[in-house]
Amino acid sequence: MIMVDKIEIKGYWFLPHEPDNRVAGTLYFFPNKKMVLELIGSFHDPHAYMAALANGNNKCKEVIWGESSDAKRITLLNCNAYGSLNFSCSFPMQKFNVQYCFQGIHLRNWADEIFNKITVKMPYLTKWVNHYCVHYSIPFKNDRMNGFKLNFDLDNRNKILVQLNDSLDLELEYSCSPPGTPHEEQLIIEQSYLVNIISKSTQSFGALLTQASKFKSFLTLATLNTIGYQIIEFYSLDEFQELKNGEKIFNPINLYFNQFANVQSNTSTKGFLFTHNLIENSFPNVIRKWFSFDIQMAPILKHLIESIKEKDIFDAGDFLIVVQALEGYATRFRPNIPKKGKRIILIEQLEYLRNEFIYVPLIKNTSLDLTIVVNSRHYYSHFFNKKPNAHVADGIELFKLTQSLKLILICCVLNETGFDQNSIISIMKAYRDRV
């Protein structure tokens, strides 16, 4: 199951401190809509429950445990009761909106520090790594096709390993699922890359999920696409099956929640900012720096990334977003820009940033009138009247102006991420060839 699939889990549900008081019900997961637990009954005496619900009490359960019909342990977190009362019925129907569902474990609370690994699958990652291990060949005989061959060999090139810091390791791991049997009429082979983040100490699910989200934001920058999780699996040293030879097989613990993001890969690498092969040598240093950004830096980078994404429809608002992102970047990261007056003004900031990245041929060879940029920004942002001698861009001119400014903004983001000059030049050259 992936997080784009509708899920239905039937079983018995109970509160952790009352394991013998079990209520039958079904959990429904509607991707990007809602997750609902429907109980046939309630966790308490029916009359007491109805009275509590009528008085507005008994609304929230932090943790609900379950046992599914296929004997899996379930944990539901942040469960809020809702529904209506039917006093003519001999039993109540209790419903909960659920935020998180774990399949395969019983957690005591949000802060349980029992996980040492998280594995996630995301759209675009396999295309971004751009390394496929299933080989397809067609032998010819007498100038005619003589069947075809599929083969897969696992080697060291299939893993990309980076030690992020003293406590965390990052691993991009190739995965290939073979068909169940050669006797099937339709053989389906899926190959993809997964992200593993391994902790040397046990952590809560939230702490590991935060680390996974850092790589997700990096992939958002690299692909210039909004990305969601397709699969999230946690691993615990306490959850395993032991073989006769003593080998331990650790059981995956699946997490489901509504994320309201794209979980399908529906584009080629043409729109990507860069791929792994383009930054292969610098990737370890870059990803280490990305993971080292603190919580104050993260929203700034997120805003900058959102500003450089391509959009299907262009309007003046897109121009303003890019200009404001550049102004915010200059204010936050270049506070010592020389100023001619008492305070720094926009044209001085834009000129400084353009000159900083003038070594990039794409920026050096792009014509950009910063006076028009400032006039247009003041007009569209503050609704000033057009001055007789002030040139304000609109239409296709405003679009081209925005694209030129976006080149500078991309360089700002790459520079802050840790790319050196040669890498930025290579990335911008490849970006120019794609767009």
Side-chain angles (χ1 to χ4, degrees):
M1 291 287 187
I2 63 175
M3 292 180 71
V4 73
D5 295 329
K6 179 182 176 181
I7 297 172
E8 185 176 303
I9 302 176
K10 297 179 180 179
Y12 280 102
W13 308 89
F14 52 97
L15 300 178
H17 61 280
E18 296 180 346
D20 296 328
N21 181 24
R22 301 187 172 213
V23 183
T26 305
L27 178 74
Y28 299 96
F29 175 64
F30 302 96
N32 287 340
K33 292 182 181 178
K34 60 182 178 179
M35 184 156 43
V36 178
L37 173 65
E38 294 187 356
L39 299 180
I40 305 176
S42 72
F43 293 129
H44 306 287
D45 175 81
H47 296 91
Y49 162 70
M50 290 181 178
L53 192 60
N55 294 328
N57 302 324
N58 197 37
K59 286 289 187 180
C60 182
K61 302 293 184 187
E62 183 177 327
V63 182
I64 296 176
W65 284 357
E67 181 182 339
S68 66
S69 57
D70 57 354
K72 288 185 178 179
R73 290 170 294 165
I74 309 295
T75 299
L76 308 180
L77 295 179
N78 194 16
C79 309
N80 291 285
Y82 74 99
S84 58
L85 296 175
N86 184 357
F87 289 101
S88 61
C89 183
S90 61
F91 60 89
M93 293 286 291
Q94 190 172 22
K95 295 182 181 180
F96 290 91
N97 278 321
V98 179
Q99 185 175 5
Y100 293 105
C101 169
F102 287 88
Q103 192 174 39
I105 198 171
H106 281 157
L107 293 178
R108 294 187 301 273
N109 53 56
W110 293 70
D112 262 359
E113 295 184 345
I114 61 172
F115 300 111
N116 69 314
K117 177 181 175 182
I118 182 173
T119 295
V120 298
K121 181 180 180 182
M122 294 179 286
Y124 306 112
L125 176 59
T126 304
K127 291 181 179 180
W128 181 76
V129 176
N130 198 27
H131 178 64
Y132 300 91
C133 302
V134 175
H135 301 290
Y136 170 58
S137 61
I138 303 176
F140 282 82
K141 186 176 182 180
N142 297 328
D143 295 329
R144 297 184 64 179
M145 186 177 75
N146 189 35
F148 65 87
K149 295 180 180 179
L150 287 175
N151 70 291
F152 162 55
D153 293 317
L154 197 62
D155 56 42
N156 293 331
R157 294 178 304 163
N158 301 323
K159 283 190 177 181
I160 301 170
L161 302 171
V162 179
Q163 183 178 347
L164 297 173
N165 50 48
D166 293 337
S167 60
L168 288 177
D169 291 332
L170 173 73
E171 178 181 82
L172 303 186
E173 179 183 17
Y174 175 82
S175 172
C176 181
S177 60
T181 167
H183 303 295
E184 295 176 1
E185 293 187 8
Q186 184 178 7
L187 300 178
I188 300 176
I189 299 174
E190 294 184 358
Q191 56 178 333
S192 62
Y193 267 87
L194 305 174
V195 179
N196 299 320
I197 297 178
I198 303 103
S199 174
K200 293 179 176 60
S201 60
T202 55
Q203 299 190 28
S204 67
F205 88 91
L208 282 178
L209 190 60
T210 297
Q211 299 301 328
S213 70
K214 290 182 180 181
F215 187 86
K216 182 162 69 78
S217 66
F218 177 80
L219 192 62
T220 297
L221 167 65
T223 64
L224 297 182
N225 281 277
T226 301
I227 292 173
Y229 300 109
Q230 294 172 315
I231 294 174
I232 302 178
E233 294 177 343
F234 288 90
Y235 292 85
S236 170
L237 295 175
D238 300 326
E239 301 294 328
F240 61 88
Q241 292 179 334
E242 188 168 355
L243 305 181
K244 291 183 179 180
N245 62 3
E247 181 184 359
K248 293 180 180 180
I249 306 298
F250 292 95
N251 302 323
I253 300 160
N254 295 92
L255 171 64
Y256 301 97
F257 65 93
N258 279 307
Q259 52 189 323
F260 306 103
N262 180 26
V263 295
Q264 297 292 354
S265 180
N266 53 10
T267 188
S268 67
T269 59
K270 185 179 185 300
F272 290 1
L273 181 57
F274 57 86
T275 53
H276 176 262
N277 59 299
L278 191 63
I279 65 163
E280 185 172 1
N281 294 331
S282 59
F283 175 69
N285 291 331
V286 168
I287 200 65
R288 284 191 198 101
K289 181 166 184 179
W290 188 273
F291 271 77
S292 70
F293 289 141
D294 59 24
I295 194 171
Q296 293 180 335
M297 179 71 171
I300 297 172
L301 281 175
K302 182 179 179 181
H303 178 67
L304 294 176
I305 294 169
E306 289 295 325
S307 303
I308 61 180
K309 287 183 182 178
E310 296 294 337
K311 299 181 180 179
D312 295 332
I313 300 175
F314 173 80
D315 58 31
D318 299 310
F319 163 77
L320 290 176
I321 289 173
V322 175
V323 175
Q324 289 167 0
L326 284 167
E327 185 177 17
Y329 178 86
T331 302
R332 173 67 174 80
F333 299 104
R334 300 294 183 269
N336 297 321
I337 294 177
K339 54 188 177 183
K340 298 178 181 178
K342 292 183 178 179
R343 55 191 295 269
I344 191 74
I345 58 177
L346 177 60
I347 195 169
E348 293 170 342
Q349 292 175 316
L350 295 177
E351 186 175 10
Y352 184 91
L353 293 178
R354 182 181 62 179
N355 291 337
E356 180 176 346
F357 299 105
I358 203 70
Y359 63 85
V360 179
L362 188 56
I363 292 179
K364 182 178 180 180
N365 300 328
T366 298
S367 176
L368 180 61
D369 192 323
L370 295 179
T371 301
I372 298 178
V373 172
V374 174
N375 291 341
S376 302
R377 188 261 191 173
H378 292 339
Y379 174 74
Y380 291 110
S381 181
H382 305 301
F383 300 103
F384 291 162
N385 293 325
K386 289 185 180 179
K387 297 181 180 179
N389 298 324
H391 185 166
V392 174
D394 60 8
I396 189 65
E397 183 185 13
L398 187 65
F399 172 78
K400 291 181 177 179
L401 208 62
T402 304
Q403 295 302 99
S404 299
L405 291 170
K406 193 179 292 187
L407 298 176
I408 301 175
L409 182 57
I410 290 173
C411 291
C412 292
V413 177
L414 293 175
N415 178 78
E416 209 57 41
T417 304
F419 290 99
D420 57 27
Q421 288 193 5
N422 291 333
S423 298
I424 293 176
I425 291 173
S426 298
I427 290 171
M428 296 307 293
K429 181 180 183 301
Y431 178 75
R432 179 198 62 191
D433 296 338
R434 292 192 186 103
V435 297

